[in-house]
Amino acid sequence: MSTRVPISIEGNLVADPDYGESQNGTKFAKFTVAVTDRKLEDGKWVDGDTQYHRTTVFGRTAENVRASLAKGDTVIVNGNLEFRHWTDQATGEPRAATEVVADSVGPPSATPPRRSPGAPQS
């Protein structure tokens, strides 16, 4: 069973995205986005807790991610937060996971891309 909740996050890629292709030929990219809250305490901005969001994107958007994003890049992700629940077959224990299934991924409008789409990767 899964539940979907619309979500929009801004954060940094913790590693280069992983890429693949499903058995039916659909391309996908998987990556993790770190989101750190900022708080104003005693007149100073300080970092709060960091949350890590596993993210998957499919099709043309996955191809664009491959061509333009790398570890450390700041991104805005729009999509659905999926909650999955299952029972571990080996232990019988209940398990749960969350994942963002992205509809769009890109740099914030004030942040220029690190390299242009289609540019050779170093």
Side-chain angles (χ1 to χ4, degrees), residues 89-111:
Q89 296 292 328
T91 66
E93 295 290 320
R95 301 285 183 200
T98 60
E99 179 180 37
V100 176
V101 177
D103 297 318
S104 64
V105 179
S109 59
T111 306

Side-chain angles (χ1 to χ4, degrees), residues 4-69:
R4 303 179 115 195
V5 176
I7 188 170
S8 180
I9 59 174
E10 180 176 348
N12 297 318
L13 297 184
V14 300
D16 288 339
D18 292 323
Y19 306 99
E21 192 170 313
S22 68
Q23 290 180 344
N24 69 1
T26 302
K27 294 181 176 156
F28 62 86
K30 291 182 174 276
F31 51 92
T32 301
V33 179
V35 178
T36 303
D37 290 331
R38 301 275 294 167
K39 302 175 191 177
L40 187 60
E41 291 181 1
D42 299 323
K44 293 183 179 183
W45 286 102
V46 295
D47 287 338
D49 294 332
T50 300
Q51 298 177 15
Y52 298 91
H53 297 275
R54 290 184 291 180
T55 305
T56 303
V57 64
F58 297 95
R60 182 86 173 131
T61 307
E63 294 175 33
N64 290 340
V65 164
R66 182 176 192 147
S68 62
L69 297 177

Side-chain angles (χ1 to χ4, degrees), residues 75-121:
V75 294
I76 293 178
V77 176
N78 294 300
N80 289 294
L81 186 61
E82 289 193 355
F83 301 88
R84 293 180 284 122
H85 305 273
W86 70 95
T87 301
D88 187 303
Q89 296 292 328
T91 66
E93 295 290 320
R95 301 285 183 200
T98 60
E99 179 180 37
V100 176
V101 177
D103 297 318
S104 64
V105 179
S109 59
T111 306
R114 188 157 60 168
R115 62 180 181 267
S116 61
Q121 296 183 18

